[in-house]
Amino acid sequence: MKVLYFHQHFVTPKGAGAIRSYAMARKLIQQGHSVTMVCGSNTTGTTGLDGPFEKGKRRGLVDGIDVIELDLAYSNSDGFLKRIWTF
């Protein structure tokens, strides 16, 4: 099965933050599924990708997970309309 997984702040065990989506994706891969993770950029965590963003995104394979990271400027201090526009 092909799984398309959306998560706001995907991080690996090498970064700071909860790794629930990483663990779930890894478990699905171990069971024979393919996983594509679509996530936003996160200043405190690491997606495992370190190349430059090109046209607002970067993509790569991280521990068997196809990660698509979008360069979305987001802050908890953003107003309601900016948050809606970002999402």
Side-chain angles (χ1 to χ4, degrees):
M1 175 172 51
K2 293 182 179 181
V3 178
L4 181 60
Y5 195 139
F6 289 88
H7 191 266
Q8 181 182 4
H9 296 303
F10 170 75
V11 295
T12 69
K14 296 176 185 171
I19 63 165
R20 182 179 5 227
S21 56
Y22 171 85
M24 185 175 291
R26 290 289 304 139
K27 189 59 137 177
L28 287 166
I29 290 168
Q30 289 171 1
Q31 294 174 350
H33 306 291
S34 65
V35 178
T36 298
M37 181 71 62
V38 180
C39 62
S41 55
N42 183 351
T43 57
T44 61
T46 177
T47 60
L49 302 177
D50 57 8
F53 285 96
E54 294 181 16
K55 297 183 181 177
K57 71 176 181 177
R58 59 184 170 184
R59 185 174 192 167
L61 203 59
V62 177
D63 298 337
I65 306 165
D66 178 22
V67 178
I68 301 172
E69 182 180 1
L70 304 175
D71 188 17
L72 301 173
Y74 177 85
S75 169
N76 286 337
S77 63
D78 289 345
F80 180 72
L81 292 177
K82 175 126 176 23
R83 286 180 184 214
I84 288 175
W85 180 254
T86 300
F87 283 100

